[in-house]
Amino acid sequence: MNLSAAAHVVALALSVSAQAAVPGADVLGTLISRHFDSNSDSTIDTGEWHGGMKASFADMDADSNGSLSAADIDGLQDSLKSEAGEIGAAVGGALIKEIVFSLDGDGDKLVSEKEFAEGGEAMFKKLDANNDGQASKEELADLPTRLLN
């Protein structure tokens, strides 16, 4: 399991009232940008987003059973530590888990590939604050605030 999976997932939904109240949101935005921005233009367009989401699901589904469980997400910790340090991994892992499980539409404590894809589509629309078809690093840093508000 690698960090790109963690970064891809980070793009989902967290219920908070303000970015300032979410420690690590800027780190999360940086990780997403680093792993989704395939052409290094400092923005993520819809194609990059869809590709990143698909790759992240595959990377995170450690047991290849077609759904994400808490154990799959917990398995990201070592990868996160190598890139974000101990504290960054703890904060990032908690945010990722919250974001991923916000997509569990049927309440079975698993996130199917379909739930993940549909949630990812809705998430990109929320992230793209200025509706230009791209998510900037600034918009990504505001991820936790935007997604469940």
Side-chain angles (χ1 to χ4, degrees), residues 57-58 60-69 72 110-113:
F57 185 89
M60 286 188 297
D61 186 13
D63 55 10
S64 300
N65 69 351
S67 63
L68 301 177
S69 67
D72 289 325
L110 297 170
V111 177
S112 70
E113 192 167 4

Side-chain angles (χ1 to χ4, degrees), residues 40-52:
S40 302
D41 68 351
S42 299
T43 61
I44 297 170
D45 62 34
T46 57
E48 289 171 315
W49 182 263
H50 291 294

Side-chain angles (χ1 to χ4, degrees), residues 1 5 25 27 31 44 60 67-68 79 104-106 122 139-140 149:
M1 187 116 7
V27 172
L31 289 172
I44 297 170
M60 286 188 297
S67 63
L68 301 177
S79 295
D104 181 13
D106 61 10
E139 288 169 320
L140 291 171
N149 286 334

Side-chain angles (χ1 to χ4, degrees), residues 2-12 31-38 44-60 68 113 116-117 120-121 123-124:
N2 62 34
L3 183 58
S4 66
H8 299 318
V9 171
V10 171
L12 298 166
L31 289 172
I32 293 169
S33 182
R34 187 176 307 150
H35 293 283
F36 277 56
D37 187 12
S38 60
I44 297 170
D45 62 34
T46 57
E48 289 171 315
W49 182 263
H50 291 294
M53 291 298 291
K54 186 172 182 159
S56 70
F57 185 89
D59 287 345
M60 286 188 297
L68 301 177
E113 192 167 4
F116 193 80
E121 181 69 29
M123 187 181 342
F124 187 82

Side-chain angles (χ1 to χ4, degrees), residues 58-139:
D59 287 345
M60 286 188 297
D61 186 13
D63 55 10
S64 300
N65 69 351
S67 63
L68 301 177
S69 67
D72 289 325
I73 307 306
D74 291 340
L76 299 173
Q77 288 299 312
D78 289 337
S79 295
L80 287 171
K81 283 179 190 175
S82 69
E83 188 152 340
E86 187 91 23
I87 294 171
V91 172
L95 286 174
I96 291 167
K97 188 179 269 187
E98 185 68 29
I99 289 167
V100 168
F101 285 100
S102 72
L103 303 178
D104 181 13
D106 61 10
D108 66 354
K109 299 189 190 304
L110 297 170
V111 177
S112 70
E113 192 167 4
K114 181 180 179 186
E115 288 171 323
F116 193 80
E118 290 173 354
E121 181 69 29
M123 187 181 342
F124 187 82
K125 289 177 183 176
K126 288 183 179 183
L127 282 172
D128 183 15
N130 62 1
N131 297 314
D132 67 353
Q134 300 181 12
S136 67
K137 193 171 182 179
E138 292 76 23
E139 288 169 320

